[in-house]
Amino acid sequence: MATVAPSRIRTGRAAEVWLLLLAVALGVGGYALVGLNTGDALPEDFGRYALILAGVAVVLHLVVRWRARYADPLLVPLVLALNGIGLAIIHRIDIGMTARGIPFAAGPRQLMWTALGAVLAAAVIIALRDHRTLRRYTFTAMVAGLVLLVLPMTPGLGVNRNGAQLWIEVGPLSFQPAEIAKILLAIFFAGYLVTNRDVLTLAGPKILGLQLPRVRDLGPLLLAWAVAIGVLVVERDLGTSLLFFGLFVAMLYVATERASWIIIGLLMFAAGALLAVNLFPHVADRFDIWLNALDSDIYNREFGGSGQLVRGLFGLALGGLMGAGWGEGFPHLTTHANSDFIVSALGEELGLTGLIAILLIYLVLAQRGLRMAIGVRDGFGKLLASGLAFTLAFQCFVVVGGVTRLIPLTGLTMPFMAAGGSSLVANWIIIGLLVRISDSSRRPAAEGGGEVVGAETARIALSTQNEGTGKGPDGAARPRRRGGTSAAVYDTADDVPRVPANDAHDQDDDDDQHTEVVERP
Amino acid sequence: MNAPLRRLSVLVILMFVALMGGATWVQYFQASSLNADSRNVRTLYRDHGQDRGPIVVAGEPVAYSEPVDDPFGFQRVYADGPLYAPVTGWYGLYQATGMERAAHTVLNGTDDSLLLSRVRTLFTGAEQGGGSVELTIDPAAQQAAWDALDGRRGAAVAIDPRTGAILAMVSRPSYDPNALAAHSSADADAAYTGLLEDEGDPLFNRTIGGNLYAPGSTFKLIDLAMLLETGDYDPETEIEAPTEYLLPGTQDTMLRNPGGGTCGGETVTLEYALQVSCNTPFAMLAVEHGDDALREQAEAFGFGEPLDVPMSVTPSRFPADPDPAQTAMSAIGQFDVRVTPLQMAMVSAAVANDGDVMRPYLIATERGPDLQVTARTEPEVFAEPISASTAATMRDLMVNVVANGTGSPAQISGVQVAGKTGTAETGSDEDVAPDAWFTAFAPADDPQIAVAVVVEDGGAYGEEGTGASVAAPVARQIIQAVLAE
């Protein structure tokens, strides 16, 4: 406890400065090139754009230094690069659409959303001193998340755009609630699973060498599945449905370490989706488009045709290996080029090379998220970080896979890039959360001990000692690895070293849940 | 929880590998077929938004791209549209024809020969321009042919017999490619529909395509070549020349000479038969030697052979399995014999060039955007249909046709012209005027140009002389234009 690390701890803040410079240069450079290549001059609001992007970089860097100085130095620069490139391509499509006689000004709005998103991320970093606080709101998050998820189904409030019932409109404001819902649901899943993982891990029958869970524990999975299929059918959106269900199954797997959950989940989803395809023509259309996009009768279909998808493919094809260059392609010929099809716009102007570079940025971002989940000490943090990181990756997969015809097209947006305030703001909030979790993941044990975790752990240690040999409420079947929900103390091998300090690296901090249980009368 | 986290991160990597694979599939492997998709407007915008290289005749661009302020950025302009339309074709939003189509990859800069230039622009960041195409067309010959055919339907093509370079390629009626290259698809469509419905078929390039023509008596050059190649004939050989020839296998179908009269006696020399274009001797000799011999000779001149100049030339054809009566009719260029004017010019060119047909071509040089020559057409032998001695004999006989026979309207003072007339009946109805033909080369002792001219409905039924008086002057004017330089 008292030992001070002999070598200086690298916080990575200096690296972050250089990476931020690079990220801002990517965005600002792209923005400048769009102007130069389309109008032989810098865009009118170039100064404002550069200032805001640089401002976001400076502010976030300072906030991170102040409140989360051990945070992963890659997170903010990676996101800022994506956001900046996204702004440049949105501006480029504004120009293209305006040239077609359709005035478009998504760029300035997106710039405003970027600033707001970054401010909110900073607010999360500042206000949320410890991510474990969120665990208190497990069920609040569930209720809010489910409400948001079903909100677009409400008659009079929900709006149908491009065949997907994903939006709500209140006066002049429109909003895609699923974006915020995914954060809330990730919090809920993390809180719920960390509490109930032991029950869910209980062994059921073994079939074909696969350890199945007990039938009675299938309840939550069934519920998630029902909601996912409901979203698919009513909101007509495979993307949100997939995203939500994928998030749940991934987190369930991380919590229980049982592959059988994944297999059961996938089978259920496939069965449900298959049923939906056969029962509902609009879902079937999507599959039709996916499989036979280039057929001329599907291409020419007035509603639900593959025209948009195929025009996106034409854009990608035009881009080829090296791309047409900023402002040199025709991305505005594809409908919704700045939102659903921003990937094909990027592929057209930046080529396969640029697109792969962008995908790598996302991949690194997701991998850093999963890495911090491994590093962080508490189960809730692990689940939340992995859930959020996985959503990010999965959302990319669903969007890019849809545009490149790997999977059926869906209505999801590309995180950080697509035009749209709800998505951008929600994803910035996710980055705020990840910065917070990565700070505690990377914080050296010694220093951590002196701060938040230390106090918390001490309290936990005390309370567990008081409980002494307390039994779990579910006294009968004891889980394979740990004690019952309230019996963390049995897991002595792991927990003993926790009393002096939390320098054990791979330790689960499940016990603060236990503390709560104990303290509750 | 760390083991599943590690597995999850492997899954995420796999997901992204799949995405990169998907993107590579679309952007690399599928790209060319997507770019070629007819529904792909982007390809149009890209091609029309590019400074496409010019098509150049004698240093002057006859087709070039001009910057305009519309969504495409560049407008294709045809300087002397109708005159060069059979050569240039047009470059429209949905269609390209003629040279615009045949040399598309050079003009838009994507040709393999321009790879170096493209690599350079990749590094310099400059815009890849199109290459240019310089034609072999001699503007004086083109203009002369155009003027001479004024107001008539027909075609004229001139080649340099020594190289195969095409010096003139005129087809009338013509059209204005500028109207078809308009960026307003409504205007362009209207213009195109109008031209399609025009009964004069202005969109046909009659020199190398369209419906082809019956060659009439110009086909006797191929009869003559076949006879001389056997070695059994010389210009003085006396051959039967009855007034009427009962077609073998028929009851009463008579083949007559032009004008219906005798052809200078019961027998005539081969030289004389060609001079006045007797029908009966050539028909009888063809039946005697058989359709195979005639077809072989025709194919030796290029009949049935695919040819790109670089626009593709419809192969001329000789009937596959004619009976003797049909063979007789084929020998005088009737029945199902169909030729392009270019093919008949190649027959004259073979005679002019000691028996060798040079491969006809329109592109002299191709240049990159930096005006460096990237390709130059080297003349090459396309066919060797007749021996040099047969060629020499035929030359004398053709000189005689112009000097003393039906080809006299092609005479040029001070220049020896060698030629052959033709009058091709286009129907059995005597009211339909036949097509008038003339093919020639000059000067006979040092050939510089071979021509073929056809004037539709230009002759008078049964009158060889009238056809010659219509088509031969056209050929004469083209020859004069070339020799004047």
Side-chain angles (χ1 to χ4, degrees):
Chain A
M1 175 81 223
T3 52
V4 175
S7 62
R8 250 189 85 211
I9 306 290
R10 284 176 174 272
T11 60
R13 297 278 71 81
E16 188 180 69
V17 171
W18 292 110
L19 288 170
L20 279 170
L21 270 175
L22 203 63
V24 171
L26 268 176
V28 171
Y31 204 71
L33 281 173
V34 165
L36 291 172
N37 285 346
T38 54
D40 288 327
L42 288 176
E44 261 176 52
D45 59 347
F46 179 72
R48 192 165 60 115
Y49 170 87
L51 215 64
I52 290 186
L53 218 58
V56 164
V58 170
V59 168
L60 281 176
H61 177 71
L62 293 178
V63 167
V64 168
R65 252 182 202 279
W66 174 37
R67 279 297 171 90
R69 70 191 198 94
Y70 293 104
D72 190 331
L74 284 178
L75 295 175
V76 177
L78 289 175
V79 169
L80 200 63
L82 293 172
N83 201 156
I85 294 170
L87 280 164
I89 196 84
I90 288 167
H91 176 63
R92 191 266 166 278
I93 288 155
D94 281 352
I95 291 174
M97 292 302 280
T98 309
R100 271 176 74 186
I102 309 163
F104 247 59
R109 254 181 297 142
Q110 187 76 356
L111 194 57
M112 194 192 78
W113 288 116
T114 303
L116 182 66
V119 165
L120 288 176
V124 167
I125 299 168
I126 295 168
L128 187 70
R129 299 301 297 273
D130 185 343
H131 59 268
R132 284 172 298 184
T133 318
L134 292 173
R135 193 171 164 185
R136 294 190 197 130
Y137 306 106
T138 298
F139 287 92
T140 319
M142 175 195 77
V143 173
L146 286 179
V147 165
L148 284 175
L149 203 59
V150 300
L151 214 50
M153 303 183 199
T154 323
L157 201 60
V159 224
N160 189 314
R161 287 191 190 171
N162 327 321
Q165 190 91 20
L166 275 176
W167 297 75
I168 54 168
E169 238 165 43
V170 184
L173 294 171
S174 64
F175 187 68
Q176 212 173 348
E179 293 290 344
I180 301 293
K182 81 182 175 195
I183 306 177
L184 293 169
L185 290 172
I187 293 172
F188 160 63
F189 292 154
Y192 170 81
L193 289 171
V194 85
T195 312
N196 296 295
R197 51 188 290 243
D198 298 328
V199 175
L200 295 171
T201 319
L202 286 177
K206 196 167 182 178
I207 293 173
L208 294 171
L210 196 67
Q211 191 78 56
L212 295 179
R214 295 187 309 181
V215 178
R216 72 173 99 145
D217 298 330
L218 283 172
L221 184 67
L222 278 174
L223 184 70
W225 175 79
V227 173
I229 297 297
V231 167
L232 174 63
V233 171
V234 182
E235 301 189 1
R236 309 184 165 203
D237 190 65
L238 184 67
T240 309
S241 168
L242 256 178
L243 181 70
F244 170 71
F245 197 66
L247 173 66
F248 181 73
V249 172
M251 291 178 74
L252 190 58
Y253 171 64
V254 173
T256 62
E257 307 192 10
R258 295 235 159 178
S260 55
W261 282 119
I262 294 189
I263 291 161
I264 293 171
L266 288 179
L267 286 176
M268 280 167 69
F269 191 83
L274 212 63
L275 200 67
V277 166
N278 287 322
L279 289 180
F280 306 99
H282 58 262
V283 182
D285 274 0
R286 291 261 165 162
F287 274 84
D288 223 12
I289 290 170
W290 173 47
L291 294 171
N292 307 304
L294 291 167
D295 281 10
S296 53
D297 45 329
I298 293 178
Y299 178 85
N300 291 323
R301 204 151 55 190
E302 194 172 352
F303 297 106
S306 65
Q308 182 190 24
L309 173 65
V310 172
R311 278 190 288 275
L313 292 176
F314 288 158
L316 287 171
L318 185 85
L321 287 183
M322 302 305 295
W326 281 112
E328 305 279 5
F330 307 94
H332 47 277
L333 295 178
T334 311
T335 336
H336 302 292
N338 67 8
S339 52
D340 294 9
F341 277 78
I342 198 155
V343 172
S344 70
L346 289 163
E348 180 169 355
E349 302 230 311
L350 305 181
L352 181 62
T353 318
L355 190 55
I356 285 184
I358 288 168
L359 288 175
L360 285 173
I361 296 182
Y362 281 106
L363 178 58
V364 171
L365 194 58
Q367 290 295 335
R368 300 303 287 197
L370 293 171
R371 179 66 192 79
M372 78 179 69
I374 290 173
V376 80
R377 297 167 185 87
D378 67 299
F380 178 75
K382 278 183 190 299
L383 284 170
L384 185 57
S386 58
L388 293 175
F390 184 75
T391 356
L392 202 68
F394 196 58
Q395 197 163 343
C396 276
F397 179 73
V398 170
V399 174
V400 182
V403 170
T404 56
R405 269 181 84 200
L406 215 55
I407 56 168
L409 187 64
T410 65
L412 285 181
T413 51
M414 196 70 174
F416 302 110
M417 290 195 138
S422 7
S423 164
L424 187 59
V425 166
N427 285 308
W428 269 110
I429 292 174
I430 289 181
I431 288 308
L433 291 171
L434 289 180
V435 165
R436 171 50 64 221
I437 298 171
S438 74
D439 178 51
S440 76
S441 165
R442 289 162 47 92
R443 183 181 298 274
E447 188 170 341
E451 276 185 26
V452 191
V453 185
E456 195 103 358
T457 317
R459 198 160 53 86
I460 293 159
L462 281 174
S463 61
T464 40
Q465 273 175 345
N466 291 344
E467 276 297 300
T469 55
K471 280 196 190 100
D474 183 16
R478 195 150 287 163
R480 182 171 51 90
R481 209 176 128 255
R482 292 196 175 277
T485 36
S486 63
V489 75
Y490 286 128
D491 210 350
T492 42
D494 267 8
D495 283 358
V496 165
R498 188 169 308 176
V499 181
N502 50 358
D503 47 6
H505 225 73
D506 208 0
Q507 213 165 53
D508 271 311
D509 207 5
D510 289 3
D511 311 51
D512 73 318
Q513 165 65 23
H514 168 68
T515 324
E516 280 174 29
V517 172
V518 169
E519 283 169 353
R520 215 169 277 147
Chain B
M1 285 192 242
N2 290 342
L5 277 174
R6 293 204 170 87
R7 265 174 245 139
L8 202 61
S9 72
V10 171
L11 175 70
V12 167
I13 290 173
L14 290 179
M15 274 171 14
F16 276 80
V17 168
L19 289 183
M20 289 172 200
T24 308
W25 176 250
V26 173
Q27 295 201 265
Y28 184 71
F29 293 102
Q30 257 194 331
S32 49
S33 78
L34 287 170
N35 280 331
D37 194 300
S38 60
R39 297 165 293 194
N40 191 345
V41 197
R42 275 181 173 82
T43 310
L44 281 182
Y45 275 105
R46 181 189 59 186
D47 286 348
H48 288 263
Q50 192 203 22
D51 192 0
R52 188 177 172 85
I55 300 174
V56 177
V57 168
E60 293 293 322
V62 294
Y64 56 95
S65 286
E66 208 171 62
V68 285
D69 188 22
D70 73 5
F72 294 97
F74 284 95
Q75 171 69 56
R76 200 68 169 158
V77 180
Y78 298 89
D80 222 334
L83 173 62
Y84 289 104
V87 181
T88 58
W90 77 89
Y91 185 63
L93 281 189
Y94 303 103
Q95 199 181 358
T97 64
M99 187 60 71
E100 294 279 22
R101 178 197 181 108
H104 178 68
T105 55
V106 176
L107 293 170
N108 78 357
T110 59
D111 198 73
D112 290 342
S113 65
L114 301 176
L115 183 69
L116 211 67
S117 149
R118 279 203 304 281
V119 170
R120 224 175 3 247
T121 59
L122 195 65
F123 289 104
T124 60
E127 200 140 320
Q128 170 69 25
S132 58
V133 167
E134 286 175 316
L135 302 185
T136 54
I137 296 287
D138 175 339
Q142 183 82 0
Q143 189 67 51
W146 174 261
D147 293 343
L149 282 171
D150 188 28
R152 289 181 281 190
R153 290 182 195 171
V157 61
I159 55 183
D160 184 332
R162 297 161 298 184
T163 60
I166 296 174
L167 302 174
M169 180 178 266
V170 168
S171 178
R172 295 199 77 158
S174 189
Y175 60 91
D176 185 3
N178 288 304
L180 296 166
H183 283 173
S184 149
S185 52
D187 290 354
D189 284 352
Y192 183 60
T193 313
L195 290 168
L196 269 188
E197 286 168 356
D198 190 323
E199 59 168 28
D201 292 325
L203 293 176
F204 286 174
N205 179 353
R206 291 165 153 80
T207 61
I208 57 169
N211 292 332
L212 306 199
Y213 294 97
S217 300
T218 53
F219 193 79
K220 286 170 190 164
L221 290 175
I222 293 166
D223 302 342
L224 181 65
M226 183 267 288
L227 295 173
L228 293 173
E229 284 288 290
T230 61
D232 302 336
Y233 296 83
D234 62 51
E236 302 309 318
T237 309
E238 288 284 332
I239 51 177
E240 278 186 82
T243 307
E244 288 183 341
Y245 169 50
L246 177 66
L247 289 180
T250 67
Q251 294 301 310
D252 53 359
T253 310
M254 291 298 185
L255 188 145
R256 295 181 176 82
N257 291 313
T262 65
C263 203
E266 279 303 298
T267 62
V268 293
T269 60
L270 192 55
E271 178 178 32
Y272 187 75
L274 194 76
Q275 179 184 326
V276 298
S277 199
C278 296
N279 283 344
T280 52
F282 284 106
M284 292 167 73
L285 289 171
V287 172
E288 186 189 323
H289 287 87
D291 60 293
D292 288 339
L294 212 48
R295 188 183 308 103
E296 270 169 38
Q297 187 60 62
E299 285 170 358
F301 277 107
F303 277 58
E305 190 78 13
L307 173 64
D308 297 327
V309 292
M311 298 98 87
S312 68
V313 178
T314 310
S316 301
R317 55 183 188 266
F318 187 86
D321 190 22
D323 63 26
Q326 292 164 340
T327 304
M329 294 301 289
S330 301
I332 58 167
Q334 299 292 158
F335 186 55
D336 282 346
V337 182
R338 291 292 178 275
V339 299
T340 56
L342 178 64
Q343 176 63 69
M344 293 321 289
M346 285 158 69
V347 172
S348 285
V351 177
N353 194 41
D354 298 331
D356 292 349
V357 181
M358 303 304 287
R359 180 182 288 278
Y361 63 94
L362 266 169
I363 298 178
T365 52
E366 295 171 3
R367 290 173 190 273
D370 51 0
L371 300 180
Q372 294 281 339
V373 173
T374 54
R376 188 188 300 280
T377 307
E378 294 300 331
E380 61 177 35
V381 175
F382 175 67
E384 299 172 5
I386 48 176
S387 66
S389 68
T390 301
T393 310
M394 286 182 73
R395 182 183 60 220
D396 293 343
L397 296 185
M398 288 172 74
V399 167
N400 183 49
V401 168
V402 175
N404 307 309
T406 54
S408 58
Q411 287 170 5
I412 301 170
S413 68
V415 179
Q416 234 181 5
V417 178
K420 180 70 193 86
T421 57
T423 305
E425 290 162 20
T426 50
S428 52
D429 190 346
E430 301 202 359
D431 294 340
V432 180
D435 295 339
W437 270 98
F438 192 70
T439 180
F441 62 91
D445 51 350
D446 174 27
Q448 294 171 30
I449 173 173
V451 293
V453 174
V454 61
V455 179
E456 290 178 28
D457 311 334
Y461 192 77
E463 288 285 329
E464 182 75 12
T466 53
S469 67
V470 169
V474 176
R476 189 190 66 223
Q477 284 166 44
I478 301 170
I479 293 170
Q480 281 176 318
V482 170
L483 296 185
E485 287 165 12

